[in-house]
């Protein structure tokens, strides 16, 4: 129950965040006109430069998006059993480490080549995930912290959730708990309140704080009656008895 519920929640929030970012556009507006010819020329030059900058970044972002798709396909590739030959038309790897290493290289190239694009933020997020998978928690923390300060609140929330997991892995329990509480206090479309509560309760439970875990699970029951979340919390409470 827990694995299925959390898997669906993570798929939904990531899909929503990705589509929201892809649909975001930049709009340029002019609030007033000048009566002076010279002023009009200056305005035209400024707007021309602005449009040129927008057009350039938009083109760069499109190129970066293509490369990000490749990197995501790498992350989604299967790991074939030892001794199994690779199929020519199917991307696969001999180990999860090799897969993460290859994806990380692709993501780094995106960040280096297209540093000022929206896609580069997503690449940074995935870099944090792959760094964590490769055991480089310092790099993971650095990348995820950068994305956590993004103006894209959905992507920032995903980064905060991943950052909290890094803190848990490195025994920085208090830092992880602080992040989960902040996500509970300010949920987004990508990380709902229940998702953050699940992680917080699990953190309390794994750090031998059953009373705090129980409190969170009971709150989840109360706030989500007759739902999968409530059923999940009920099962966890039974385990705590």
């Amino acid at each position: 129950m827990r694995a299925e519920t959390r898997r669906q929640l993570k798929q939904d929030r990531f899909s929503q965040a990705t589509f929201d970012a892809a649909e975001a556009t930049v709009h340029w507006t002019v609030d007033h006109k000048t009566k002076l010819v010279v002023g009009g020329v200056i305005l035209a030059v400024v707007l021309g430069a602005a449009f040129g900058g927008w057009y350039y970044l938009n083109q760069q972002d499109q190129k970066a998006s293509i490369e990000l798709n490749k990197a995501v396909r790498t992350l989604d590739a299967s790991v074939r059993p030892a001794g199994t030959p690779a199929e020519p038309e199917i991307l696969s790897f001999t180990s999860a480490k090799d897969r993460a290493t290859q994806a990380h290289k692709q993501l780094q190239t995106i960040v280096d080549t297209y540093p000022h694009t929206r896609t580069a933020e997503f690449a940074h997020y995935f870099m944090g995930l792959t760094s964590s998978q490769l055991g480089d928690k310092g790099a993971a923390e650095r990348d995820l912290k950068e994305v956590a300060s993004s103006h894209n609140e959905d992507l920032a929330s995903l980064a905060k959730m991943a950052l909290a997991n890094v803190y848990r892995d490195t025994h920085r329990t208090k830092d992880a708990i602080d992040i989960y509480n902040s996500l509970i206090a300010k949920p987004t479309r990508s990380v709902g309140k229940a998702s953050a509560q699940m992680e917080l309760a699990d953190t309390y439970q794994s750090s031998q704080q059953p009373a705090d875990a129980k409190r969170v699970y009971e709150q989840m029951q109360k706030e989500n009656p007759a739902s999968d979340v409530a059923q999940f919390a009920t099962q966890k409470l039974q385990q705590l008895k």
Side-chain angles (χ1 to χ4, degrees):
M1 174 63 190
R2 176 191 175 194
E4 179 62 25
T5 301
R6 292 177 66 175
R7 181 184 67 80
Q8 187 63 50
L9 284 167
K10 290 179 180 178
Q11 285 181 343
D12 291 346
R13 69 183 182 236
F14 178 70
S15 296
Q16 184 64 57
T18 303
F19 284 122
D20 287 345
E23 292 171 358
T25 56
V26 178
H27 300 281
W28 298 96
T29 60
V30 180
D31 295 327
H32 61 275
K33 296 180 180 179
T34 178
K35 296 180 180 180
L36 299 175
V37 174
V38 174
V41 172
I42 293 175
L43 181 60
V45 170
V46 171
L47 289 178
F51 178 77
W54 172 84
Y55 179 79
Y56 173 76
L57 284 177
N58 187 55
Q59 292 296 307
Q60 292 292 93
D61 201 41
Q62 289 183 22
K63 294 177 182 178
S65 295
I66 293 173
E67 297 305 313
L68 182 60
N69 276 334
K70 295 178 182 178
V72 171
R73 284 200 298 271
T74 298
L75 284 170
D76 198 41
S78 61
V79 175
R80 59 183 185 272
T84 303
E87 297 184 36
E89 297 181 358
I90 300 179
L91 181 63
S92 64
F93 293 88
T94 57
S95 69
K97 181 179 179 180
D98 288 343
R99 179 178 60 189
T101 299
Q102 178 61 29
H104 191 84
K105 290 178 181 178
Q106 293 173 301
L107 295 163
Q108 184 68 64
T109 298
I110 295 170
V111 171
D112 292 342
T113 309
Y114 310 102
H116 304 298
T117 62
R118 292 189 299 271
T119 300
E121 286 192 310
F122 280 90
H124 254 129
Y125 168 69
F126 284 113
M127 279 181 66
L129 297 185
T130 53
S131 291
S132 183
Q133 291 171 12
L134 292 169
D136 191 346
K137 302 301 182 180
E141 180 179 1
R142 182 177 63 251
D143 286 321
L144 292 171
K145 270 187 173 180
E146 180 170 341
V147 183
S149 62
S150 170
H151 293 299
N152 183 332
E153 66 175 14
D154 291 317
L155 181 58
S157 292
L158 289 172
K160 290 175 183 177
M161 182 72 90
L163 180 60
N165 291 335
V166 170
Y167 287 152
R168 286 179 63 178
D169 290 343
T170 53
H171 309 293
R172 296 165 64 180
T173 304
K174 183 181 182 304
D175 291 331
I177 289 173
D178 287 344
I179 291 178
Y180 293 138
N181 278 322
S182 72
L183 291 170
I184 290 169
K186 190 177 179 181
T188 62
R189 290 170 296 183
S190 60
V191 179
K193 183 176 182 179
S195 297
Q197 286 173 316
M198 286 181 184
E199 296 295 339
L200 176 61
D202 190 54
T203 301
Y204 280 136
Q205 194 169 353
S206 62
S207 59
Q208 307 303 314
Q209 301 179 67
D212 289 313
K214 181 180 179 181
R215 172 178 52 80
V216 177
Y217 288 133
E218 289 175 341
Q219 185 177 4
M220 292 169 66
Q221 282 182 318
K222 181 179 179 180
E223 295 175 346
N224 304 276
S227 69
D228 287 345
V229 172
Q231 292 179 30
F232 167 79
T234 299
Q235 291 181 358
K236 299 300 291 187
L237 284 169
Q238 290 174 349
Q239 295 173 13
L240 286 173
K241 291 181 179 179

